[in-house]
Amino acid sequence: MKAIISTACAAVFLLSGCATTTTTQNWAKFTIDKNGRVSDVSFEKPSGSDIMDASLKRNVVSRFYETVPRPQPNRTYLQPLVLVTPTTLEDYMHQDAKKAD
């Protein structure tokens, strides 16, 4: 147990000086059907995770209707996005692997 706590403290100390978030520029493309409803949402740069993209789509669709309450039928709208994601331990390990190459 003492070794686990020591390892956790060392990890916190080592990561404390690192950035905790990543900011990414992206675009959401909304396709509107003939009834004026969002029929499809796609991202310029998908995250690579179906679960994360599905969650993001639900959020951007609800925000889209706040911005464009009555979208025109058979149109395509583009919305800029700034995604802020927390940095994970895997991100740090991936960065270290790049430095070693």
Side-chain angles (χ1 to χ4, degrees):
M1 183 69 170
K2 192 174 184 181
I4 293 172
I5 293 172
S6 297
T7 304
C9 290
V12 169
F13 176 73
L14 292 172
L15 297 175
S16 64
C18 300
T20 56
T21 58
T22 304
T23 304
T24 307
Q25 298 289 332
N26 205 344
W27 286 88
K29 177 181 173 184
F30 299 90
T31 304
I32 309 302
D33 66 12
K34 64 181 180 180
N35 298 315
R37 289 187 226 128
V38 175
S39 62
D40 185 48
V41 178
S42 60
F43 300 112
E44 179 183 45
K45 300 176 213 167
S47 70
S49 167
D50 292 338
I51 294 169
M52 189 182 329
D53 286 347
S55 175
L56 185 57
K57 284 180 183 181
R58 285 190 299 275
N59 288 324
V60 297
V61 167
S62 66
R63 299 278 302 172
F64 174 75
Y65 284 116
E66 291 175 12
T67 307
V68 184
R70 287 181 232 115
Q72 297 295 314
N74 300 318
R75 284 234 164 136
T76 300
Y77 292 85
L78 291 174
Q79 178 180 352
L81 301 173
V82 177
L83 303 175
V84 179
T85 54
T87 305
T88 64
L89 182 58
E90 288 80 17
D91 294 332
Y92 289 114
M93 294 172 70
H94 185 66
Q95 290 172 2
D96 288 343
K98 282 184 181 178
K99 289 178 186 176
D101 289 340

